[in-house]
Amino acid sequence: SKISVVHCFYFRGGAELLFDGVKKHQVTLPCQPEPWDIRNLLKWIKENLLKERPELFMQGESVRPGILVLINDADWELMGELDYKLQDQDNVLFISTLHGG
């Protein structure tokens, strides 16, 4: 039996401005036959949470260069990036390292 899972997504470093200034989102993802991975998650975030200028957050099916992604405080590059399968209660943090000047 598939259960929906609650996750926390955090947006920092200016990334929260694309999400109505909300820095923390607690989300129950809909059930689906396959486990959620980051690739599907980003698509879901773009369709459901992102409020403006998606090109500042996404590039193709991934985040833009300059957005640091941490899964439970570890760099997502160590976790398999887009292929990482979300676990129950995972915290995913998106930090924009891009600053206008």
Side-chain angles (χ1 to χ4, degrees):
S1 70
K2 297 280 176 200
I3 358 180
S4 359
V5 192
V6 177
H7 302 284
C8 284
F9 307 126
Y10 300 90
F11 301 94
R12 298 278 192 276
E16 70 276 6
L17 301 175
L18 304 174
F19 298 87
D20 274 354
V22 180
K23 290 185 174 184
K24 177 181 177 182
H25 296 259
Q26 225 171 340
V27 171
T28 303
L29 293 171
C31 293
Q32 60 176 33
E34 297 298 310
W36 279 87
D37 58 19
I38 297 292
R39 181 178 285 107
N40 291 329
L41 172 66
L42 287 172
K43 198 183 303 178
W44 187 91
I45 286 176
K46 182 179 176 183
E47 291 165 3
N48 296 278
L49 295 180
L50 194 58
K51 298 300 183 199
E52 55 183 279
R53 301 179 69 189
E55 71 279 3
L56 294 182
F57 184 69
M58 303 276 300
Q59 184 172 307
E61 62 179 11
S62 190
V63 291
R64 276 185 57 139
I67 293 185
L68 186 63
V69 182
L70 299 178
I71 301 167
N72 302 323
D73 298 326
D75 189 323
W76 76 323
E77 290 178 7
L78 306 171
M79 316 284 278
E81 298 188 6
L82 293 171
D83 296 322
Y84 173 78
K85 304 273 186 266
L86 284 171
Q87 310 295 315
D88 195 9
Q89 307 298 322
D90 271 352
N91 290 321
V92 184
L93 173 60
F94 299 91
I95 305 170
S96 175
T97 60
L98 306 169
H99 300 287

